[in-house]
Every structure is written in C-alpha cells, then in structure tokens.
Amino acid sequence: MNDKLYDFGMVGLGVMGRNLLLNMADHNFAVAGLDLDPAKIAFLHSEAEPNQQVTGTTSAEEFCKALQKPRAIMLLVPAGKIVDAAIQNLLPHLEAGDIVIDGGNSYFPDTDRRVAELAMKGVHFFGMGISGGEKGARYGPSMMPGGDRTAYERLRPVFEAVAAKVNGEPCVTYLGNGSAGNYVKMVHNGIEYGIMQLISETYDLLKRGLGFSDDELQQVFEKWNATEIQSYLIEITAEILKKNDENTNEKLVNKILDKAGQKGTGKWTSQNAMDLHVPAPTIDMAVIMRDMSAYKEERVQAAKQLNNSSVGTADNINKKAFVDQLRNAFYFAALTTYAQGMVQLQAASKAYNYGLTLQDVAKIWRGGCIIRAACLEDIRKAFEKNSELPNLLLDDKIGGELMQRQTDIRSVIKLSIDKEIPVAAFMSALSYFDAYKSERLPTNLIQAQRDYFGAHTYERLDQPGTFHTNWTGDSLSKK
Ligand code: 6PG
C-alpha cells in the first residue's frame, strides 16, 4: 500500500465484494479491499485496469489507515457470525463518524442489533441488500439501503454511480429506517424463491406433462421472454436450457441432481410473514418444495410404491394452445407472488416503523436484481397511484390482468392434477386469489368449533359484541 487515501473500502473480496469494488473503480473511485486470504488480494489486483486506483491488504489496521476519514467501509461477507467477526476485526481501527455498510443478506434483527452496538461507538452502521449476482455487482446491481439516512446521503454518489440504471434512473434509493434495507432484500429473495418455483413447475408441465423435447422447451422460454412475462429469471432459464454438458454433450440441466439448496432468506421471509400474520402462500410453497426436493432417496422409493403410472405425454392436448394458457397462468401466479411480497413489506413497514414507500421499492427492482421483470413498471405505477394500496390485486390494471388469465390458470392446474404433476406454487397462487376475492370464507365454522371446544367466543354478522354458546346444552357442574 502507498500513502494515498482511498474513497471506499470493501471487506470480503469474494465474488460479490471484488466485482462491486471493481465497478466502483470503473467509476473513478479510489478503492481499497481487505481480505484475510492473500490470494483474493492478488486476484483483485490482477482484475483491475492499470489506470484504476485499486489496492488490497490482509491487515485491518493498514486498510483503515488507507481510507479517507470519515471512513466508508462495506462488508460483503457471508451472513451470520462472520459479519460480527468482520466488525470486531475493524473496530479497534475505526473512529466516531465512520460508516460501515453491511451489503450481505443479513437477517434483519441482526442489523438492528449491530446498528445499536456500533452507535455506542459513534459508528454509523447500515444494512443494504444488494442483488444481481456476480454480473450485477460488476456492471450494475440493484441496491436496497436502509438505516442511517445521513450516512447514506454521504455515500449516495458512489451507490448511484455503480447501480443499474432503468430509463436513466439508478436502481438504488434510501428505503427506510433501521433494518429496512435488509428486510426489503429478504422479501426480494422470498419473491425470487416463489418465481423460481413457478418456473420450475412450468418446465415440469411442459416436459413431463406435454413431453416437450429439450429444444422445444428452450424455444418456449426464449419466445416467452419477448412477451409480457419478460424477466431476468425467464431469460436465464432459456439460456440454461441451451447449455450442453461438456462430458456427455447432452443438456447439462438434465444431469443436475434435483435437490435445491437454500441459504435461509426464503425461509426467513415465510417465517416473518407468519409472525406478521401476512399470507404469503406462494413463497411458503417455494420453501416447502425446496425442502421436499431434499428427500431424494425417499422420493425414489415412493415413486416405485405410489405411482399409478398414468403420467405420460398427452396426445389429445393442443400443445400450442396449452403453451399460451401456461404463459398466462405463469403471469397470473407471478403477479400474485409480487402482490404477497408487497403486502408483507407494507405490514413490516408499519410493525417495524420502516417508513417504506412501495413505489420506490418497485422502482429499484426494475433493473439489476434477480426479480427484475417487465411487470415491475406496472407494480410501480400501482403504488404511484395509491401509496396505501392494501393489495396489488385491487389495482385496476393488475386486477384486470389477473381476471383475464384466471380461466387459463384453472385449466393448467386441472391438467396438472390429471397428470400427477405437483404444482404447489401455481395452486397456492390461485387459492390466494380465490380466498382474497371471497366475500365469505368458511371461517365462521372454525369460530364455531373454537367456541364449541374451548369457549373461545365468536362475533356475529347481525349484531355487535362477543358471544359464547353452550353448543350441547350440557352443564359442566356436578349435579
Ligand atoms: C440476489 C440473490 C442472492 C443469492 C441468493 C441465493 O439477489 O442476488 O438473491 O442474494 O444468490 O441469496 O439464495 P439461496 O441460496 O437461498 O437460493
């Protein structure tokens, strides 16, 4: 290292940290990296252009000395204890006024705790979800900052420079108080899980249900990406379906073990939706189906024992018509998944005092992130029209899109039942819609049952108050 002072520091030079730092260097910021692994420092240097101001070290002290004061440091390390360890490593070398940003997928209560702990030392800490993977970090991610607004404002020029742009607008904006940034990123990932599950069910219906060849499958997704369901996840699906395995020259996707991994953000979204009593069934189902996928050995056994072998290709189905129905069903379910996530954000904003503006959330999700999709512009507009919109299903435009497609999702689900193809996410999306638009649900009966066995009382439709009925006429008192 030399005596130069650097604008921005990055702790953790893995894929995300290194690429985001190089992105900053592309925008003429002088940047320094810290990693305990010297190989990562060497790699950072080898990737930087000679005219860029990039340096790296394994020493926290050297790193902190090299940064302009007040320091701006981002952590891009795996969530959990490693974040705390990285903070402890820096802390002796930090001063009041310095800013530390957690750019990882940290669990939001951890962020609230760290904000309080570092505030005692005068250090501004804020959580900022970053989405877009390796390429996004390098050429423009979507960034979801929350917490200390003054600290954010100081770093705004850096973030706006490196973020993805949609219609010239950067995909980053201050979202709200406390752990708002990590919370929004968590729900982003919950929606990501939901959409990925819907795409995998779509693929299964085409492949097992209709017997589409690998090439036909690939073409469907490629064509779809030029329609209203255009999105990053549909686009990469088309790319994935093209790729051949180097060893066998068959499609690589067919060689991949059908057990899905997960790092926790989808599960946290579901868990917190339950805590807030917000129904998010498509996100729940996506987590559940990843869990189900892990039971590979039992599934192999059950496939032998429980199948009635009626699953096969359907000769009497009009394939072209079905592909159109399926596209409509997918759009219906995807919109419903975004709706569930947005309701959760609205509820969390009230419960945790985040002060979120959902229009801003939709705006910064239009580019750079994994769930970017053409429909996010309609979602943004819905909240621009009505910032208090309780559910996207009630927006005229989005509600209209769903109404137009509800017959198709019902047909798709009927076929999946006949073909024994699990479409838990599609079913959950349709049930969410059907329940939300049910003026009367059968929960009157649940209330009656609760009152019957537990004297939990109920309310009536025809008069105010709380009621209890002795349903059997029996008396508990001994005669
Ligand atoms: C993103 C991704 C990113 C990460 C996921 C993967 O927005 O860039 O969401 O954060 O790839 O966390 O999560 P799972 O391992 O749980 O699928």
Side-chain angles (χ1 to χ4, degrees):
M1 278 202 164
N2 48 37
D3 292 339
K4 189 181 158 37
L5 287 180
Y6 291 81
D7 303 316
F8 199 94
M10 180 72 70
V11 178
L13 297 176
V15 169
M16 293 295 287
R18 183 184 68 250
N19 282 301
L20 194 59
L21 209 59
L22 291 168
N23 182 349
M24 289 175 185
D26 285 348
H27 289 88
N28 298 321
F29 293 103
V31 294
L34 169 67
D35 201 292
L36 302 179
D37 179 0
K40 296 233 173 83
I41 311 281
F43 193 44
L44 173 72
H45 280 128
S46 72
E47 293 271 292
E49 301 291 336
N51 62 337
Q52 291 180 328
Q53 304 174 76
V54 176
T55 190
T57 172
T58 54
S59 150
E61 185 179 358
E62 216 173 85
F63 173 73
C64 289
K65 274 193 186 143
L67 294 171
Q68 293 222 27
K69 292 182 196 174
R71 299 174 181 87
I73 300 173
M74 183 183 283
L75 313 175
L76 260 171
V77 298
K81 291 201 171 79
I82 300 181
V83 175
D84 290 307
I87 293 171
Q88 288 312 317
N89 192 27
L90 290 173
L91 218 46
H93 315 290
L94 296 182
E95 288 159 71
D98 288 347
I99 302 172
V100 177
I101 306 135
D102 180 7
N105 282 331
S106 283
Y107 187 40
F108 72 95
D110 288 344
T111 298
D112 290 318
R113 170 177 58 79
R114 290 170 187 140
V115 167
E117 282 170 6
L118 287 169
M120 289 194 294
K121 304 204 181 321
V123 173
H124 306 286
F125 184 83
F126 70 89
M128 179 167 82
I130 301 180
S131 179
E134 186 175 355
K135 255 199 178 155
R138 185 69 183 85
Y139 300 109
S142 170
M143 299 194 279
M144 295 154 241
D148 189 326
R149 179 149 209 165
T150 322
Y152 171 74
E153 288 300 334
R154 201 167 79 70
L155 297 176
R156 198 160 84 144
V158 182
F159 298 144
E160 290 190 350
V162 300
K165 310 283 180 310
V166 172
N167 306 330
E169 292 177 296
C171 293
V172 58
T173 195
Y174 178 80
L175 293 175
N177 306 314
S179 52
N182 288 119
Y183 196 95
V184 170
K185 177 61 181 12
M186 177 186 81
V187 173
H188 165 284
N189 282 25
I191 296 171
E192 172 185 304
Y193 272 53
I195 308 280
M196 288 168 80
Q197 178 61 28
L198 287 168
I199 294 178
S200 75
E201 291 175 8
T202 303
Y203 158 78
D204 205 10
L205 280 165
L206 291 170
K207 192 176 167 75
R208 279 203 294 163
L210 261 60
F212 270 34
S213 69
D214 290 331
D215 288 340
E216 283 175 311
L217 272 168
Q218 198 280 328
Q219 284 156 16
V220 168
F221 281 95
E222 198 164 284
K223 278 193 194 136
W224 279 355
N225 202 41
T227 69
E228 74 279 18
I229 69 165
Q230 188 285 322
S231 68
Y232 172 73
L233 284 167
I234 293 284
E235 178 191 324
I236 65 162
T237 304
E239 292 292 314
I240 287 166
L241 293 170
K242 241 188 231 171
K243 185 85 179 161
N244 279 351
D245 173 29
E246 282 171 9
N247 300 330
T248 61
N249 215 28
E250 291 171 47
K251 292 290 173 227
L252 178 57
V253 71
N254 296 334
K255 300 284 165 200
I256 296 180
L257 179 65
D258 50 332
K259 273 187 186 179
Q262 49 181 319
K263 290 206 263 319
T265 46
K267 183 187 75 175
W268 297 337
T269 310
S270 276
Q271 285 175 326
N272 196 253
M274 296 251 177
D275 287 343
L276 296 172
H277 298 289
V278 172
T282 312
I283 298 170
D284 300 339
M285 273 305 161
V287 178
I288 288 167
M289 294 311 282
R290 286 199 194 190
D291 289 342
M292 179 63 95
S293 79
Y295 289 77
K296 173 75 177 176
E297 294 73 20
E298 284 177 48
R299 288 191 286 112
V300 170
Q301 170 74 19
K304 291 189 193 113
Q305 273 176 241
L306 304 173
N307 260 348
N308 69 18
S309 68
S310 71
V311 180
T313 55
D315 298 330
N316 55 351
I317 294 174
N318 177 337
K319 284 189 181 183
K320 194 185 165 314
F322 185 78
V323 168
D324 287 340
Q325 283 180 328
L326 191 52
R327 192 191 68 237
N328 282 334
F330 174 81
Y331 196 48
F332 179 106
L335 284 176
T336 312
T337 309
Y338 283 101
Q340 293 166 34
M342 288 301 193
V343 176
Q344 180 165 351
L345 288 179
Q346 200 85 283
S349 185
K350 288 197 185 100
Y352 308 127
N353 194 25
Y354 285 149
L356 295 177
T357 305
L358 293 193
Q359 189 202 150
D360 286 347
V361 174
K363 190 176 103 176
I364 63 167
W365 282 354
R366 291 176 309 170
C369 67
I370 304 295
I371 64 167
R372 63 185 185 259
C375 69
L376 275 158
E377 180 54 18
D378 285 344
I379 295 175
R380 188 197 67 74
K381 281 189 186 142
F383 289 111
E384 182 184 45
K385 249 193 295 168
N386 178 4
S387 61
E388 297 298 315
L389 186 68
N391 194 312
L392 281 170
L393 272 55
L394 296 177
D395 175 70
D396 287 346
K397 171 90 167 60
I398 291 175
E401 302 284 2
L402 297 175
M403 295 279 283
Q404 267 178 36
R405 290 169 174 82
Q406 56 166 319
T407 313
D408 285 340
I409 189 169
R410 290 180 206 284
S411 304
V412 164
I413 289 174
K414 280 180 207 154
L415 182 97
S416 76
I417 292 169
D418 290 344
K419 299 243 139 237
E420 302 173 54
I421 292 176
V423 290
F426 274 109
M427 285 179 172
S428 71
L430 182 61
S431 292
Y432 179 85
F433 176 82
D434 283 341
Y436 191 69
K437 71 176 183 66
S438 286
E439 187 180 334
R440 195 149 162 75
L441 285 170
T443 19
N444 50 332
L445 180 59
I446 291 174
Q447 284 297 78
Q449 290 164 334
R450 292 176 68 243
D451 192 54
Y452 183 111
F453 61 66
H456 293 299
T457 74
Y458 55 88
E459 290 174 282
R460 295 181 60 103
L461 288 166
D462 54 358
Q463 45 180 299
T466 304
F467 298 87
H468 168 59
T469 296
N470 181 346
W471 293 86
T472 58
D474 293 347
S475 161
L476 284 182
S477 61
K478 284 189 186 150
K479 294 236 167 81

